[in-house]
């Protein structure tokens, strides 16, 4: 799934570009540009790989990848269930009975 050869190519390409920018631009600007490129290239690579993993979610919904993307079921927001009256709601207190005792329902 993760190709180290491509990652090393991107890493050394970003290193070469950052060294080239440091030779062309004056000191503070060259260093800033080199750091920005050295940080941006792995982020772009990670975004590309995460977009490839979109299809690995549950039952073909297309919500795969990321930290919490594998188990999210479309809604994306947390719903709460009241422990007193078993009412499902979104807020901090239950709108039916006013109780603050609740559990999260993902």
């Amino acid at each position: 799934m993760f190709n180290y050869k491509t990652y090393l190519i991107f890493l050394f390409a970003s290193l070469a570009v950052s060294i080239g920018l440091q030779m062309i631009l004056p000191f503070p600007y060259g260093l800033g540009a080199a750091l920005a490129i050295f940080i941006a290239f792995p982020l772009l690579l990670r975004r590309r790989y995460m977009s490839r993993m979109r299809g690995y979610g549950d039952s073909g919904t297309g919500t795969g990848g990321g930290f919490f993307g594998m188990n999210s079921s479309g809604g994306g927001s947390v719903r709460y269930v009241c422990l007193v009256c078993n009412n499902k709601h979104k807020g901090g207190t239950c709108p039916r009975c006013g109780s603050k005792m609740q559990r999260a329902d993902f």
Side-chain angles (χ1 to χ4, degrees), residues 9-64:
I9 289 172
F10 268 92
L11 188 69
F12 285 119
S14 68
L15 183 66
V17 169
S18 65
I19 288 174
L21 281 176
Q22 283 184 358
M23 294 177 121
I24 294 172
L25 296 174
F27 169 66
Y29 303 115
L31 184 66
L35 286 175
I37 287 175
F38 207 67
I39 291 172
F41 270 168
L43 288 177
L44 291 174
L45 252 178
R46 190 173 298 130
R47 179 180 292 172
R48 193 172 100 189
Y49 283 123
M50 291 308 255
S51 68
R52 283 185 186 175
M53 286 181 20
R54 293 275 181 220
Y56 293 113
D58 21 290
S59 70
T61 57
T63 59

